[in-house]
Amino acid sequence: MLAKLYWQFLKFGSFTFGGGWSIVAQMKELYVNQEKSLTDEELLDITSIGRSLPGTMIGNIAMFYGHRIAGFWGGVACVFGMITVPMIILLLITSFYTAFQSNLWVASAMRGVRTAVAPVILSALLGMIKSAFKVPPCFAVAAVMFALYFGFRVSCVWLVVIGAFLGLAICEYYERVKNINVVA
């Protein structure tokens, strides 16, 4: 199992441009759509926790997913699998930085890669949005959070605290008043 996790995350790390969100998109395709070992909600939960903690988002997500599947060593296998190829590439690039810095071919290739990454990230985002908004008040909470962040520059810490409080209140309301379980 550890070798399988290492290999899967080695592939994620090898064929991912655009950062952590594009890895989340690949995880969604493999674990949610193909293997069905995760649901959209579980991936959203892992991503939310990974994004909230200090450190790199995707490192946290890899550790959480690996730990969920195979314990501590599963998490370690996922993290090391994910960083192996990028680490080798970074070592090579830093060794030859001056040659790559002004190379027209390399700069053009990177621009092309960036444009290809946007739809991958957007597809992961849309999938997570669908699973996050189970009831209409969730849309209102998201709108308020966007307004607070972009309009009033409220700290992300406060947005997480307010969002958690409102999420608990919405779930409580739907369970008590409407007899609907919005968590499941």
Side-chain angles (χ1 to χ4, degrees):
M1 178 55 75
L2 295 179
K4 178 183 175 186
L5 289 171
Y6 178 84
W7 178 248
Q8 287 173 337
F9 276 82
L10 180 81
K11 288 191 289 187
F12 293 154
S14 299
F15 301 107
T16 298
F17 294 88
W21 290 109
S22 55
I23 293 175
V24 171
Q26 289 185 43
M27 290 177 69
K28 181 182 184 319
E29 179 60 31
L30 179 63
Y31 300 130
V32 175
N33 297 344
Q34 291 177 15
E35 291 183 359
K36 308 233 186 281
S37 60
L38 277 180
T39 65
D40 276 321
E41 292 82 11
E42 290 170 327
L43 181 60
L44 178 62
D45 290 344
I46 290 171
T47 303
S48 299
I49 294 168
R51 182 82 173 113
S52 306
L53 294 174
T56 63
M57 174 191 78
I58 198 59
N60 293 340
I61 292 170
M63 188 66 187
F64 278 126
Y65 179 77
H67 186 272
R68 181 180 183 273
I69 300 299
F72 174 78
W73 292 112
V76 171
C78 290
V79 170
F80 276 99
M82 187 187 59
I83 67 169
T84 300
V85 172
M87 187 62 73
I88 292 168
I89 292 170
L90 281 173
L91 286 171
L92 290 173
I93 289 174
T94 55
S95 300
F96 302 104
Y97 178 71
T98 54
F100 284 125
Q101 180 179 354
S102 59
N103 186 307
L104 178 66
W105 294 99
V106 171
S108 298
M110 295 316 291
R111 267 190 230 99
V113 166
R114 277 183 281 187
T115 58
V117 165
V120 172
I121 294 171
L122 185 60
S123 71
L125 176 65
L126 292 175
M128 285 195 273
I129 287 173
K130 281 197 287 186
S131 65
F133 299 130
K134 296 208 177 214
V135 292
C138 294
F139 289 100
V141 170
V144 168
M145 294 300 144
F146 274 110
L148 289 173
Y149 182 74
F150 290 111
F152 300 100
R153 296 287 179 210
V154 173
S155 167
C156 291
V157 173
W158 285 110
L159 295 178
V160 169
V161 170
I162 293 167
F165 175 76
L166 291 174
L168 290 169
I170 290 168
C171 287
E172 186 70 21
Y173 171 78
Y174 273 86
E175 286 181 10
R176 285 185 186 232
V177 176
K178 302 223 179 205
N179 292 322
I180 297 173
N181 185 358
V182 293
V183 176

